[in-house]
Amino acid sequence: MLKIGTFFFKYRNQAFPLIIAALFISTPPTTTVLGSEALEAWKNSLALLVILIGLLLRATVIGYAYIKRGGLNKRVYANDLVTEGMFGVCRNPLYVGNMLVYSGLFLFHGSPMVVVVGCLLFAFIYQCIIYAEEEFLANKFGEGYSAYCRDVPRWGLKLSAFSSSTEGMAFNWKRVIAKDYSTMSSTLIAVLVTEFYRVAADSVADQDSSYAIVLAALLGIVVALTGLVSSLKKRGVFDKMTTAH
């Protein structure tokens, strides 16, 4: 598991989109649940809610205490042991947010195979990555990290610690936009493309054609806004507000 975690820590930005694309292409998204369009609508609403919660959790983490997850030369590394902000609530809050986003995307697709395989596979991969990170942190920070592990859950959210962990800290929205716009964008694109796939696989009725045009327009808007934020970031607009912790 440590070897798997080290591999995916290094190549996750390339591997994760390929895994998701392969799962989604393997079978069309569902158009009904147990033959009911109403249940399908409820399922999709639940999926979008789970995705939103995941994105909000990521935003909360980054807004209070951003931690660079890329490591050093794509290997697990950390200069400091960050325990404030949401890291005083959960040891891996960004990964919890990611799992919520991915689980919501799989549920939005709806195929039982995609939901089960996707959720289990990503949970296993993230657990492996966490093991690799924990080994490094334990070796580098010793008893300080052990004490942190005893006090803060690996996957759960110790919400009772939120107030004390964020005391005296200011939430930074500009840092959230600068650091997480690509995650927000890719998530929205995945939702829109999945919905477009659902419409195309279901039928080509006039109303569906109009809906497809709306989806395409929304996709264009998301891509344009992503390009705008990327351009502003390259011009240094967010530099003063995005110092990594």
Side-chain angles (χ1 to χ4, degrees):
M1 290 182 73
L2 286 173
K3 290 181 179 179
I4 294 172
T6 301
F7 173 85
F8 277 104
F9 183 91
K10 184 175 182 179
Y11 295 110
R12 56 189 164 179
N13 290 339
Q14 296 80 22
F16 285 7
L18 291 176
I19 293 172
I20 293 173
L23 285 171
F24 281 26
I25 292 172
S26 65
T27 180
T30 58
T31 56
T32 63
V33 173
L34 300 177
S36 170
E37 293 183 359
L39 287 178
E40 174 72 15
W42 277 103
K43 183 267 293 179
N44 289 339
S45 297
L46 176 61
L48 293 175
L49 177 61
V50 172
I51 291 171
L52 178 60
I53 292 173
L55 291 175
L56 288 175
L57 176 56
R58 284 184 56 87
T60 304
V61 177
I62 296 170
Y64 279 113
Y66 177 69
I67 181 172
K68 190 174 181 180
R69 281 290 190 177
L72 181 65
N73 297 322
K74 296 187 176 182
R75 297 182 66 85
V76 178
Y77 185 80
N79 286 322
D80 305 299
L81 180 61
V82 180
T83 60
E84 63 266 30
M86 284 301 292
F87 293 94
V89 175
C90 175
R91 296 195 327 249
N92 301 282
L94 285 174
Y95 292 164
V96 174
N98 290 350
M99 276 302 305
L100 287 170
V101 170
Y102 290 136
S103 297
L105 288 174
F106 297 141
L107 182 61
F108 188 73
H109 182 284
S111 165
M113 185 275 291
V114 169
V115 175
V116 174
V117 173
C119 289
L120 290 178
L121 179 59
F122 273 79
F124 173 74
I125 291 173
Y126 269 119
Q127 186 62 66
C128 291
I129 291 175
I130 288 171
Y131 280 160
E133 291 182 342
E134 287 179 343
E135 182 183 53
F136 173 87
L137 295 172
N139 290 333
K140 182 164 185 174
F141 299 108
E143 178 55 32
Y145 181 67
S146 297
Y148 172 59
C149 290
R150 288 193 294 270
D151 189 52
V152 181
R154 176 189 284 148
W155 282 106
L157 298 177
K158 188 180 177 182
L159 296 178
S160 60
F162 178 79
S163 180
S164 59
S165 295
T166 58
E167 186 177 0
M169 302 179 72
F171 189 85
N172 193 326
W173 273 107
K174 286 191 176 181
R175 183 167 60 207
V176 173
I177 296 172
K179 296 295 184 181
D180 215 33
Y181 77 94
S182 59
T183 298
M184 298 177 191
S185 172
S186 60
T187 301
L188 286 172
I189 289 172
V191 168
L192 291 170
V193 170
T194 301
E195 185 66 5
F196 190 90
Y197 185 13
R198 192 193 319 275
V199 173
D202 187 26
S203 68
V204 289
D206 291 341
Q207 62 268 28
D208 288 337
S209 297
S210 299
Y211 184 40
I213 293 173
V214 172
L215 292 173
L218 290 173
L219 181 60
I221 292 172
V222 171
V223 172
L225 288 175
T226 303
L228 175 62
V229 175
S230 178
S231 177
L232 292 174
K233 184 177 180 179
K234 289 178 180 178
R235 287 163 53 188
V237 172
F238 301 108
D239 285 351
K240 294 182 180 180
M241 298 292 182
T242 58
T243 303
H245 189 105

